[in-house]
Every structure is written in C-alpha cells, then in structure tokens.
Amino acid sequence: SSLCYLGLQKLQHRGEEGAGIVAAGGDGKLKSVTGLGLVADVFGDPSRLASLPGPAAIGHVRYSTAGAAASLRNVQPFLAGYRFGQVAVAHNGNLVNYQALRSKLEARGSIFNTTSDTEVILHLISTSLSRPLLARICDACERLAGAYSLLFLTADKLFAVRDPHGFRPLVLGRLPNGAVAFASETCALDLIDAAYEREVEPGEVVMVDRRDMSVSSACLVPRLPRRACVFEHIYFSLPNSVVFSHDVHERRTAFGRALAEESPAPGADVVIPVPDSGFYAALGFSRESGLEFQQGLIRWHYSGRSFIQPTQAIRDLAVKLKLAPVRGVIRGKSVVVVDDSLVRGTTSSKIVRLLRDAGAREVHMRIASPPVVGSCLYGIDTPSDGELISNRMDLEGVRREIGSDSLAFLSLDKLHGIYGEEAGDYCDACFSRKYPVLPTLPEPAAEFDEE
C-alpha cells in the first residue's frame, strides 16, 4: 500500500476530488480506505496507510465524469463481496451504455449504492454464471461499451483490463524484486523504480498470480479499431510519461512546431507558455519560429482547490493568485502566448487581460490543438456542447471574446500529419465530432399496473 500511495501521489494530476486504496492482507481479506480530497489529505494520518498491510494493493484518484463529484460513496476503488469472496475494482474511463445497463440490472433486482458507472461492472461480475473470476470479468466486459482501463484485486490475484478500442492508457511494469505494477502513466512506475515493460493491449486481460508473480494474458474480446485519446498527449498526461508508446513531451513539442509553421506571429518579440501543460508546445513554437522563449507566467501551485467566488473582482484575484505575470518579460512586448487547448474561453480571456495589465503591447494567442467543438464521452470531463466556445462562435468571434490581438489553432489536418499513419488510431471526437462509440439509451421502464 505504501508503493500504491506513492504512485497515486505521482498521478494526482489525473484527479483531485478523492483518493482511495484497497489492499489484500496476509489474512486473505481486502481492506479499504477512501476519502475526499488530495492523496496527501486522505492519507495524511499515518494510521490510515498503516491500516492497509499486505503484499498487494490497487489505488485510484477520482476525476468525476460520471456520478456526483463530491460524494464519498463514489470514491474508488470499490470493494464488494459476492458468493465467491471479495473483489475490488478501480476504473479509468467512461461507459457510454452505463444508464442502459443500470436500468436492466435494476429491473432484475440489483440495488446500487453509488451514482458511478463503475458499480455496474461489479453487478455484472456478481450476476455472471461463469467460473472462475477471469471468465466472469470477460463476461462483464463484453457487455460494456465505451472507455475502460480496469484493475481488479482479489485475495490472491490481480487483473488488468483495457477496452477493445484502447481509449485510456494502462501500462505494465516490474519492480526490481519481480513484483508487477500497473499504472495509467509511466511516471508512476518511474517513481517506485518499476521498469516499464509494455502497454496492456486494447482488448487484453492480464492476470497476475500473487503467489509466484506469474503473468498470463487473455484476449477479452476481438480487438476493435484502436482509438487512443489524443487529449492524453495534448493535455492530460504528464510530459515525463510515455503514453500510447510515445513520449508526451515530444508530442507536445511537435504540436508547437507545427503550430508555428501553420500560424506564425510575424513581428512578435517573445513566446511564453501557459503553465504547466503549454510549456513544451511553446518551446516547439519558439524553436520553429526563432522567437525568444521566456517563462512569462509563473504558476502558483499552492492556491488550493477552486471554489465558486461571489464576485467577478474576487474571481479575477483568484486567477492572479494562480498565474502571476513576469512584468520584465512582458512589458512593452508583442507576446505570443501558447496554450494546450481552449475549451470555455474563460481562462484565456483572463490571461489576456492579465498580460495587458502587465504592460504587454500585443497579445497573440496560439492554441496547440484544434478547436474543441464536441464533448468527450470517454473519460475527459469536457463541458456540454453549449459551453464550448468554439462550438458557439467562429474564430473571429472567439478572438473578440477573449480579447487577444490574434488567435490561431493547430488545424486537425496538421495534427493528423504529426501522427502520420497512426492518425487513424486516435480518437479526436472532441475536434471532429466523429465518435467511435455512441451512447446507448435505456429502454423505457415497464409500467406496473395498480391493483
């Protein structure tokens, strides 16, 4: 559980609403600790981690895409008992047929304790008629649609599963003592000195026997066309991770170079990133354009979680606390600001205003991804289509709204060009509205006759 805790710390950027660990003790029982807040907050009391002894554990940081965000009952891993013992599950992704599955299960008598899509997986395992657990997991996953990278823990085994499209990342590593580790990103493996071996393949189930650390693999379902989430490279993953077999920082640098080729800013003096995820794209833009690269915005990492503020003035002060301009870099300059993406536009407009207040002569916004015009269905918590600024306005409308002197996005064609022959292996539905798997709506509930 200590190594699991460290891995969760490294993956904190993937979810800040809650965290939890389930450990398999030497007595054969699974024990759980979950809580709301950051990993360090949940396990700040040393006794909480000490209550999770044992040689195997799985952990999760919550980033809500289904279910109420601030609800302890929705914090994973989920731990359940069924007729053959205990099983815990941790899930990264989003099921697009969750409501349909839940409606069917409830109609057959299932009772749900959470509003999370992950709980249906446990119900499907429990109601499966197959044996052993591996077969039950396969039965359950064959009924799932959408994005899922899953870890299951029992008293003596660990299972890792990835959906047939491979939407979300999941990697396998091995510690110096031979123990096996799984994680969403390789940065977590690096922290605990686990050597990265490979991705869990789309549609694959990997089973680890705790007794001898033997690893076996099975094909969950026939592999479907690969659709890895391109937003992992653009924004979500840490730059020091290897995701979908690519170094994230190299992908972002390439996005920035392509952006400079496509939409240069003649006459600009300096290129600055929006920290932190815009750093490597800005570096690529600088290298391609020949403009000076400077850290013109400093991010304050200790401002805590965001809350709804009562007035616009207070909200603006909160932005100034999180992002501070370096006036000596900005004053009197024509500044190119490179960000990874532009979603609602609210943050970009505040950054433009912040730079103008700091003395920038011109502010040119460059976005190292295409315009976001569709909500993600597969595990990135993007707003509804109506809240996406590029879905509501054309390029000039967005530029006026955020107040910059110019605005340009990386085109979808240019993004595809960076990936070359692999372009078709990535999901870009948030940019193209081409969704690989569509939601399944629940069937109308049967009405009961009143006597």
Side-chain angles (χ1 to χ4, degrees):
S1 58
S2 295
L3 291 178
C4 190
Y5 166 77
L6 291 172
L8 292 182
Q9 285 270 32
K10 196 64 177 178
L11 296 175
Q12 185 71 86
H13 62 285
R14 298 190 72 88
E16 299 182 352
E17 295 163 3
I21 294 175
V22 172
D27 58 0
K29 294 182 179 179
L30 302 187
K31 297 178 181 177
S32 170
V33 172
T34 59
L36 294 173
L38 303 177
V39 176
D41 297 331
V42 174
F43 295 97
D45 181 348
S47 66
R48 304 202 81 190
L49 202 57
S51 70
L52 297 169
I58 61 173
H60 187 269
V61 287
R62 177 159 176 77
Y63 166 75
S64 64
T65 55
S71 174
L72 180 59
R73 64 182 180 173
N74 286 327
V75 178
Q76 300 181 39
F78 291 159
L79 174 60
Y82 72 122
R83 56 181 171 156
F84 298 112
Q86 290 178 295
V87 61
V89 61
H91 170 209
N92 176 26
N94 202 53
L95 304 178
V96 298
N97 65 337
Y98 157 63
Q99 291 293 349
L101 288 173
R102 177 165 177 154
S103 294
K104 289 180 181 179
L105 288 163
E106 287 177 329
R108 295 171 186 171
S110 290
I111 297 173
F112 285 78
N113 295 314
T114 76
T115 56
S116 168
D117 59 343
T118 308
E119 192 179 3
V120 301
I121 301 170
L122 291 174
H123 282 272
L124 292 172
I125 288 172
S126 176
T127 56
S128 170
L129 300 177
S130 299
R131 301 250 338 242
L133 180 58
L134 174 61
R136 286 174 172 263
I137 289 172
C138 290
D139 276 357
C141 290
E142 284 176 0
R143 298 181 62 184
L144 305 179
Y148 54 91
S149 288
L150 301 166
L151 292 180
F152 295 95
L153 180 67
T154 67
D156 60 355
K157 289 183 175 63
L158 175 64
F159 300 86
V161 185
R162 197 162 167 217
D163 71 77
H165 286 291
F167 283 107
R168 306 252 69 85
L170 186 60
V171 295
L172 182 156
R174 199 176 286 270
L175 282 85
N177 65 359
V180 176
F182 296 95
S184 292
E185 296 182 36
T186 59
C187 63
L189 301 180
D190 295 339
L191 180 65
I192 62 173
D193 291 328
Y196 167 58
E197 290 192 355
R198 66 177 180 89
E199 284 189 272
V200 175
E201 292 297 323
E204 183 184 17
V205 184
V206 179
M207 183 175 71
V208 182
D209 193 316
R210 202 182 85 189
R211 293 166 294 190
D212 59 4
M213 285 299 128
S214 61
V215 177
S216 56
S217 174
C219 180
L220 175 67
V221 290
R223 186 188 297 188
L224 299 173
R226 188 181 178 106
R227 291 294 183 268
C229 172
V230 74
F231 221 72
E232 291 278 354
H233 287 161
I234 290 168
Y235 165 75
F236 210 50
S237 299
L238 283 186
N240 58 323
S241 286
V242 177
V243 173
F244 308 135
S245 301
H246 288 287
D247 289 297
V248 175
H249 78 277
E250 290 184 355
R251 292 284 97 172
R252 291 181 186 166
T253 303
F255 300 155
R257 284 187 177 277
L259 183 60
E261 289 176 2
E262 195 171 45
S263 302
D269 301 310
V270 64
V271 178
I272 68 170
V274 175
D276 291 318
S277 52
F279 181 89
Y280 283 98
L283 192 61
F285 193 101
S286 169
R287 288 174 176 173
E288 184 63 32
S289 65
L291 295 173
E292 181 185 10
F293 175 88
Q294 284 279 4
Q295 194 77 18
L297 289 167
I298 304 300
R299 184 176 180 185
W300 179 252
H301 290 270
Y302 310 103
S303 56
R305 301 177 70 195
S306 298
F307 295 90
I308 297 173
Q309 302 295 341
T311 67
Q312 182 65 47
I314 296 297
R315 285 194 290 270
D316 289 346
L317 288 174
V319 172
K320 288 183 179 180
L321 177 61
K322 188 174 183 179
L323 289 174
V326 182
R327 293 179 182 273
V329 171
I330 294 163
R331 189 184 299 113
K333 302 284 183 65
S334 175
V335 180
V336 177
V337 188
V338 179
D339 205 354
D340 58 86
S341 57
L342 195 157
V343 183
R344 288 186 178 92
T346 51
T347 299
S348 296
S349 63
K350 291 170 184 175
I351 288 171
V352 171
R353 190 160 61 247
L354 197 66
L355 295 172
R356 293 202 190 281
D357 290 345
R361 188 177 80 251
E362 294 176 339
V363 179
H364 302 279
M365 287 295 298
R366 295 294 182 268
I367 309 300
S369 62
V372 177
V373 294
S375 294
C376 177
L377 304 180
Y378 313 117
I380 300 292
D381 192 25
T382 48
S384 64
D385 288 357
E387 296 176 274
L388 301 171
I389 191 169
S390 293
N391 190 51
R392 296 185 289 109
M393 302 178 182
D394 61 12
L395 181 66
E396 177 59 19
V398 176
R399 185 201 67 77
R400 288 197 302 267
E401 183 73 13
I402 67 173
S404 60
D405 292 283
S406 71
L407 169 66
F409 293 85
L410 183 66
S411 70
L412 188 56
D413 286 344
K414 200 74 169 177
L415 180 68
H416 288 167
I418 292 168
Y419 285 93
E421 294 181 355
E422 292 183 13
D425 295 341
Y426 284 83
C427 175
D428 58 17
C430 53
F431 308 130
S432 67
R433 298 192 184 94
K434 295 178 181 177
Y435 292 95
V437 186
L438 293 174
T440 303
L441 298 176
E443 295 177 3
E447 295 184 4
F448 293 94
D449 294 330
E450 294 185 5
E451 295 183 0

